[in-house]
Amino acid sequence: MSLLHIDNLSLWIGEADILKSVSLRVNPGEILAITGESGSGKSMTALAIMQLLPRAARTSGSIRLDGAELTTLPERDLCALRGNDIGMIFQEPMTALNPVHSIGRQVAETIRLHAPSADADTQMRDILTRVGLPPDRVPPNRYPHELSGGQRQRVVIAMAIALRPKLLIADEPTTALDVTTQAQILTLLKELVRDFGMGLILITHDLAVVADTADRIAIMRDGEIVETGRTHHMLQTRQHPYTRMLFKASTHQVKLPKPPPPTALLDVQHLQCSYRLPRPRPFARPGQFDAVKDVSFTLMHGERLGLVGESGCGKSTLTRALLGLEAPSRGQILLDGTPVTTQGKANLKIRRRMQVVFQDPFGSFNPRHRVARLITEPFHLLDSPPRGPIRRDVMADALTAVGLKPEDASRYIHEFSGGQRQRLAIARALIIKPDLIIFDEAVSALDVSVRAQILDLIADLCRTHGLTYLFISHDLGVVRSVTDRVLVMQAGEIVEQGQTDAVFTKPQHPYTKKLIAAVPKLPDLRMQPLDGDRI
Amino acid sequence: MLRYMLKRLASLVLSLAVASLIIFALIEVAPGDPASFMLGINAQPETLAALRAELGLDVPKVQRYLTWVGGMLTGDFGTSYTYRTPVAEMVADRIAVSLPLALYALILSILIAFPAGIFAASRRGRPGDLGVMGATQFGVALPNFWFAMMLVLVFAIQLRWFPAGGFAGWDKGLLAGLTSLTLPAIALALPQAAILTRVMRSALLDVLGEDFMRTARAKGLSARQTLWRHGLRNAMIPVLTIIGLQFSFLFAGTIIIEQVFYLPGLGRLIFQSISARDLIVVESVVMLVVFAVILINFLVDLAYAVVDPRLRSPK
C-alpha cells in the first residue's frame, strides 16, 4: 500500500487548467522526483498535497495520505497534518525563514505546535544537530541573516522533519545553492529518507540531480504527467519525445567557432578589491575584507572566457570592478591598454566598449518602458547616438540578431517570456557593438530547453558578430560548453586557469577537483546493460 | 545592540547641535528688531539702546548663541520680551497640555488603526476590507476643524458629556484633565488613525506575500496564527515610522484644534510669539519641538532594533 496516492487530480485557477488528471504514488522510504520546465505544474502539485492552494483554485480528484482523503479534510485537521505528517521544504532558503525570529525558535515552533507536551527545546537541539547544525557550532539563538544559504536550507529542513513526517516534499531545495552545498543537502535528504523511512517528493528542474537522487521519476509538461518510471529505466529508454527533448537540452553542447589569433583585449593586473569592515571597538582600526585578492588574467580579442566559483568567492565584485562600477583598491584593469577606472571614476570611453547581461530576466528591465527604449539604453554612453531612421535600423538589426522581430520594439517587457527577455537583454548588450560582453549568470534562471536556445544564440552570435565575452556561472556544464578558457575562483583568488577542456578533464587544484566532483551528472546509460536495473 | 544605541545617541546629539545653530541663525537673519518693535516706531534712540542692553541684544552673536544654548542646558530659557515672564514657565504650562493631548491622540489612533488594519489585511478584497478602506478614505479627507466642531455640537452641546472647550487644569484631577482633552484628542486622532490603518494594512499585505509566511503555513499554523506570530512583527517597521511622524505632528502641529477648543497648547504659543516678534520664545519653543522630534526619532530607531534583529547585529 502506497503512502501517498494521487488520483486524477485536476486543478483550475479561473479559466486556466493548471493540472490535468495527475496521478502519482509515493511509497514509504521512496524518493519520487517530479521534473519538468517552469509552469509545468510541479509546484502546484506540491501545494495541492499540502492543501495550501491559492484561494481561487478549484480541484477535482483525490489525494490520499495513508488512506486518508486530504481534499475533503476540514482546515482544522489539515493544520494538524501539515508539519506533522507532511513536511515541506522550499526553494529559496534566503526568504523561507522569518527574519525576526531565531532559528531555534522557528524549529521549536513546529514541535510546540503539534506536540505541546514534548520537551521542544531538547528536541529542537537534537534535530538541528541531525541536519548538521550542532548547537555548539551554530547556536539556536542565531537569526537567519547570520547564516549562509546552505545553513538556512538546513534550518528549513530541520523544521520540516522535526516531527518525522511520513511524507516530505522538497520543492527545488537546492536550486538556489552552490554545487558543493547542493551535494551536501542532497546527501542529507537521502540519509533522512533512509533513516526515517519517509517518502520524499523531490521537485526539481535539474535532471542531473534527479538521476543522482531519485528512485522514480515523473516528468510533467503543461500540467500533465507525460512519463513516469524507475529512474534507471527512464534514463535508458526515454520513451516520450518530451523526455528525450529535456534530456537532450540539459546536456546541450554548442559548437563555438575557432577564436582569432590572440591579441590582448582585457588585461587585469594584480587586481584587489577590498571592503571596509566595522571597527571591532570604537576608535580601533576598521577591519578589511578582501573580496578579490591579487587577481591577474588576460582576455584575448575574440576569446570566450569562463569564470566559475561558489557564491561569495568574489565573482560579483570582480564583475563590478571590470565594468568600472567599483574602483579597485589596488592593481588595474586595462581594456586595450586604457584603464577602466581613473581615480575611482569609470572611464566612459572604455565603459561604452563593455556591456553586461544579468541573470534575472524579470528584474533587469523597467516594466514601464517599451522595448525600443529598453534596448537602446546603452546609447547614452555614445557621444552622438544614432537618431531617426538610423536608430530604427540599428534597433531592428539588434532584435533580428537575437531571433526577435523588429516589430517587437513597441511592446512592453511583460509581454515576453523569460527566454525572450534574456534575448532582449542580449540585444541591449549588442546594440552598441561592444568589444566585450559580460554574461553574469545569464542562463542560470532559465529552463533547460530555453537555456539550450540561448546558448545556441550565443554561439551563433560568436560566428556572426565575433563576440568576446566573459561568461560567469556556477553551472559548470554550461561554462564547459560555451568557453575556450576558464578561470576558477575561490575566496577571492584565481586558483586555476587554463583551456576549458583541460581544466575539466584534468583539474589540478584540489578546489577545482572538489567543484567538478560535486556536479551531479547525467549518466550515459546507453552504454550500460539493462540488468543493473532493480525494479 | 549597545553599539547601535550609542551610534543613534551620538547622531541625536549631533542633530541637536546642528538644529540649534540653524534655528539661531534663521532667527538672527529674520528682519525686525524686537526692541524697536516693542517700543514702537517713535522710540528714542537712547531708550531703544537701553532696552536692547536689557534684553541682551547688544552683545556679539557668538556670545548670544552660547548664552542661549548654555541657558537651555541648565533649564533657563530666558525671559519673554513681551510677557516679561521666564520662558521656561510659559513653555512648561503649555507642554502640560500639548504632550498629554498628543499622547492621548496617538494612543487613540493606534487603538483604532491596529485592529482595523489587521482586520482589513486578513480579509483582503472582501467586503470587510472594502468597508474599512472606504472609511479610511473618508477619515483622511475629513477636515479636522469641521469634524471638531461636529464633535462639540453633538457631545458637548447636545449630550453635554464633555466640555465644549478650555482646559480644566491637572490640579482639578486626572479625570477632569482627560475629560477636557477627550474631544480634541478624538478630533486629532481620527485622520491619523485613518492613515495608520492604511499603512498597517499594506505593510501586513506585503508580509503576507513573503515566503516565510508560506513556510509557517506548511508547519501547520493556521492562517490566523501565521498572521499574529509571523506577520505582525515583520510589518511593524513601516508602521513605527508613521507613528513617529504622527507623534511629531500631534505635538506641535495642532494649532487649529487648539484654537477650536480654546486649549492653551504649544501651537498657540508659537503662533502668538511669532506675531509678537517675541524671538526668545520662538527660538526656545522651536528648539524644544525640534528636540522632541529628534528624541521621537531616536526612540523609533530603538524600536526598530527591538523589532528587527538584523539592525541589532553589527554590519
Side-chain angles (χ1 to χ4, degrees), chain B residues 1 6-7 44 94 166 168 180 184 204-205 226 232 241 284 294:
Chain B
M1 182 70 184
L6 288 176
K7 251 186 173 167
Q44 299 295 320
R94 303 304 181 107
S180 39
L204 262 179
L205 286 181
T226 313
L232 219 46
T241 311
S284 304
I294 291 178

Side-chain angles (χ1 to χ4, degrees), chain A residues 47 50 52 55 75 79 82-83 86 88 90 92 95-101 105-106 109-110 113-114 143 145-146 159 278-281, chain B residues 3 122 124 126 210-223 225 229-231 233-234 307-315:
Chain A
L47 291 177
M50 294 296 282
L52 282 177
R55 199 180 297 137
E75 176 63 22
C79 282
R82 293 182 199 123
I86 314 177
M88 185 154 179
F90 298 95
E92 216 15 278
T95 51
L97 293 169
N98 186 339
V100 304
H101 290 174
R105 176 170 168 185
Q106 298 193 51
E109 188 179 31
T110 313
L113 191 66
H114 296 286
Y143 287 94
H145 71 275
E146 300 171 295
M159 291 195 310
R279 300 169 196 273
R281 294 179 313 282
Chain B
R3 175 195 291 266
S122 62
R124 181 185 201 169
R126 287 191 267 169
E210 295 277 353
D211 285 352
F212 59 80
M213 298 298 276
R214 193 185 50 187
T215 314
R217 294 282 279 135
K219 273 179 179 177
L221 290 166
S222 67
Q225 283 171 317
R229 291 194 197 175
H230 293 275
R233 202 164 142 190
N234 276 292
V307 168
D308 193 337
R310 284 168 293 189
L311 294 172
R312 261 175 267 161
S313 55
K315 180 104 200 285

Side-chain angles (χ1 to χ4, degrees), chain A residues 201-479:
Chain A
I201 297 182
L202 178 70
I203 295 173
T204 175
H205 68 278
D206 189 335
L207 286 166
V209 167
V210 173
D212 263 10
T213 318
D215 300 312
R216 278 193 306 124
I217 306 180
I219 291 184
M220 287 190 83
R221 183 182 59 173
D222 297 337
E224 279 177 298
I225 294 197
V226 295
E227 196 174 358
T228 173
R230 292 259 152 218
T231 304
H232 207 73
H233 193 74
M234 285 270 284
L235 291 176
Q236 282 181 316
T237 53
R238 303 174 194 180
Q239 275 172 346
H240 196 279
Y242 181 70
T243 312
R244 277 203 293 279
M245 189 283 287
L246 271 187
F247 275 92
K248 210 166 152 246
S250 56
T251 51
H252 188 73
Q253 296 285 327
V254 298
K255 235 181 128 58
L256 291 179
K258 281 228 172 309
T263 47
L265 171 67
L266 181 77
D267 195 13
V268 178
Q269 298 166 352
H270 305 289
L271 181 70
Q272 177 141 341
C273 296
S274 312
Y275 296 109
R276 226 180 78 151
L277 294 178
R279 300 169 196 273
R281 294 179 313 282
F283 308 111
R285 261 180 106 74
Q288 182 174 313
F289 172 71
D290 300 327
V292 174
K293 295 176 212 160
D294 195 24
V295 162
S296 302
F297 66 90
T298 311
L299 176 61
M300 305 296 169
H301 274 286
E303 187 180 40
R304 280 79 52 155
L305 182 66
L307 175 65
V308 297
E310 296 179 297
S311 39
C313 75
K315 288 184 306 216
S316 309
T317 308
L318 178 60
T319 315
R320 281 203 301 275
L322 292 182
L323 288 169
L325 299 176
E326 192 162 309
S329 325
R330 221 177 308 145
Q332 56 178 348
I333 306 165
L334 302 173
L335 190 82
D336 261 346
T338 319
V340 169
T341 43
T342 35
Q343 280 154 7
K345 278 219 186 103
N347 197 338
L348 274 191
K349 284 206 168 51
I350 293 301
R351 185 65 194 74
R352 74 181 57 151
R353 298 174 55 187
M354 294 189 275
Q355 283 295 309
V356 61
V357 178
F358 291 109
Q359 169 172 5
D360 184 359
F362 294 89
S364 53
F365 288 102
N366 185 334
R368 286 179 187 82
H369 293 172
R370 289 177 200 274
V371 164
R373 177 154 176 199
L374 292 172
I375 65 167
T376 52
E377 269 170 330
F379 279 162
H380 78 268
L381 293 166
L382 303 183
D383 293 327
S384 54
R387 301 194 183 281
I390 306 174
R391 190 184 181 95
R392 238 186 356 261
D393 288 348
V394 174
M395 218 151 64
D397 282 350
L399 286 173
T400 320
V402 297
L404 295 171
K405 289 192 284 292
E407 301 88 83
D408 290 330
S410 59
R411 292 164 71 192
Y412 284 100
I413 197 70
H414 67 261
E415 301 172 56
F416 295 88
S417 68
Q420 286 174 322
R421 289 180 201 206
Q422 216 53 334
R423 286 173 190 269
L424 286 172
I426 295 174
R428 172 167 66 180
L430 282 178
I431 200 154
I432 56 170
K433 301 206 174 357
D435 293 326
L436 171 64
I437 298 185
I438 296 180
F439 290 101
D440 188 358
E441 300 279 6
V443 297
S444 304
L446 304 175
D447 278 324
V448 279
S449 56
V450 181
R451 188 178 71 191
Q453 290 162 16
I454 297 291
L455 292 177
D456 281 337
L457 170 66
I458 292 175
D460 278 345
L461 292 173
C462 282
R463 273 184 284 276
T464 52
H465 289 63
L467 292 193
T468 307
Y469 57 75
L470 178 67
F471 196 96
I472 301 165
S473 180
H474 68 275
D475 188 331
L476 301 185
V478 171
V479 170

Side-chain angles (χ1 to χ4, degrees), chain A residues 28-33 89 130-131 154 157 161 168 170 173-174 181-202 208-216 231 517-521 534:
Chain A
E30 183 186 49
I31 303 179
L32 169 75
I89 303 166
R130 179 65 194 84
V131 298
R154 285 171 194 269
I157 293 176
I161 60 149
L168 183 63
T174 59
T181 320
Q182 163 170 286
Q184 291 161 7
I185 295 288
L186 288 175
T187 312
L188 173 66
L189 285 176
K190 278 191 272 191
E191 283 170 15
L192 289 170
V193 167
R194 197 186 57 218
D195 295 357
F196 294 181
M198 284 185 297
L200 170 66
I201 297 182
L202 178 70
V209 167
V210 173
D212 263 10
T213 318
D215 300 312
R216 278 193 306 124
T231 304
V519 180
K521 284 172 205 72
R534 52 181 177 84

Side-chain angles (χ1 to χ4, degrees), chain B residues 2-69:
Chain B
L2 189 68
R3 175 195 291 266
Y4 177 82
M5 278 179 74
L6 288 176
K7 251 186 173 167
R8 307 299 347 149
L9 204 62
S11 113
L12 176 139
V13 172
L14 197 72
S15 314
L16 282 179
V18 172
S20 69
L21 264 175
I22 293 175
I23 290 169
F24 186 80
L26 277 180
I27 289 185
E28 280 302 314
V29 298
D33 175 38
S36 50
F37 184 82
M38 285 163 75
L39 292 175
I41 41 171
N42 297 324
Q44 299 295 320
E46 299 82 54
T47 343
L48 200 63
L51 186 63
R52 287 180 59 90
E54 194 192 328
L55 294 174
L57 295 174
D58 54 348
V59 296
K61 289 196 165 69
V62 178
Q63 196 185 335
R64 271 173 50 205
Y65 172 73
L66 290 177
T67 325
W68 177 59
V69 171

